[in-house]
Amino acid sequence: MRVVLAEDLFLLRDGLSRTLREHGFDVVAAVDNGPSLLHALRHEEPDVAVVDVRLPPSFTDEGLRIALQARRQRPGLPILVLSQYVEQLYANELLAGGRSGIGYLLKDRVTNAEQFIDAVRRVAAGGTVLDQHVVVKLLSRGEARGMISSLTSREREVLELMAEGRSNAAVATGLHITESAVAKHIASIFTKLGIAPADDVNRRVLAVLTYLKR
């Protein structure tokens, strides 16, 4: 699987490159700035891009902007974004339009190799991976506007795990309940939010998060 990696910090870039290669990925480009990222995404045709939000020369949101631009030119390009902090604007940009093959992780999460590799694989496969802190931020914003006030505490727990890209079985294991109970909670969540369930769990997650952040 071909990966383009963009991270301006040498030690982190080198560490992530090594981790990816050790787990069978082909890192076709590891760059440290926006222009190099743009060139790599255009010419290397990666299966997934792992991109730091803030890259030189602007150190604002250049990495994210270039990745989303590349995705518009090549619809469906999987993107895993790395950020130092939870930033609502960046989450909104990624989730706009109900995209799949999207991930948003805080940088302190990538120090866990298993979690990082799992996230890359899930995003590359078209799934959705959102850091738990990102999910909480979105849910809190929605709650403040009265969008999820009707959900029970258990339903919110289920929703958070769904948003992290977890399957029904994984949700059940995490909450120590049955898959049947998870299915009932999910049905209730969509009923209360007025969102019709879709076949694909990740699309349902995106629909919920898009609704919550409006």
Side-chain angles (χ1 to χ4, degrees):
M1 188 177 296
R2 295 167 61 84
V3 181
V4 164
L5 171 65
E7 167 57 54
D8 66 298
L9 297 177
F10 170 76
L11 290 179
L12 181 55
R13 184 174 68 255
D14 184 63
L16 293 180
S17 296
R18 289 173 181 271
T19 299
L20 287 164
R21 291 189 174 103
E22 288 171 358
H23 287 80
F25 291 90
D26 180 12
V27 182
V28 295
V31 302
D32 63 358
N33 63 80
S36 295
L37 171 61
L38 181 60
H39 181 273
L41 292 176
R42 285 178 173 174
H43 298 283
E44 297 295 345
E45 297 185 354
D47 298 302
V48 59
V50 180
V51 180
D52 185 5
V53 168
R54 299 176 184 271
L55 289 176
S58 69
F59 286 105
T60 55
D61 59 355
E62 189 151 354
L64 175 64
R65 295 295 177 190
I66 290 173
L68 293 178
Q69 177 184 338
R71 185 166 170 123
R72 286 191 292 270
Q73 296 172 349
R74 182 185 158 192
L77 171 66
I79 301 171
L80 175 60
V81 166
L82 307 179
S83 181
Q84 192 70 39
Y85 310 102
V86 179
E87 303 197 49
Q88 182 75 40
L89 176 61
Y90 300 153
N92 289 351
E93 289 284 349
L94 284 172
L95 295 171
R99 296 181 173 98
S100 59
I102 286 294
Y104 186 146
L105 289 184
L106 295 183
K107 283 189 176 181
D108 60 2
R109 300 287 185 177
V110 303
T111 56
N112 184 309
E114 290 185 3
Q115 289 184 6
F116 172 63
I117 292 300
D118 178 61
V120 175
R121 286 176 174 155
R122 281 195 279 148
V123 169
T128 304
V129 177
L130 295 178
D131 192 286
Q132 184 177 9
H133 286 82
V134 177
V135 176
V136 170
K137 183 83 169 182
L138 292 173
L139 293 178
S140 296
R141 183 170 182 261
E143 184 177 11
R145 303 174 81 174
M147 290 182 175
I148 60 169
S149 59
S150 62
L151 299 184
T152 66
S153 59
R154 176 63 83 186
E155 287 167 350
R156 294 180 194 183
E157 291 175 337
V158 170
L159 183 58
E160 289 184 18
L161 292 175
M162 286 172 58
E164 292 177 26
R166 305 300 174 182
S167 66
N168 284 15
V171 173
T173 299
L175 297 179
H176 305 290
I177 57 178
T178 65
E179 286 190 52
S180 176
V182 171
K184 290 179 180 178
H185 286 308
I186 291 174
S188 177
I189 289 168
F190 281 100
T191 297
K192 291 179 179 180
L193 295 180
I195 300 174
D199 292 334
D200 182 81
V201 172
N202 292 311
R203 292 186 186 279
R204 289 189 291 164
V205 171
L206 284 174
V208 171
L209 291 177
T210 301
Y211 180 86
L212 292 177
K213 69 184 181 60
R214 287 189 305 185

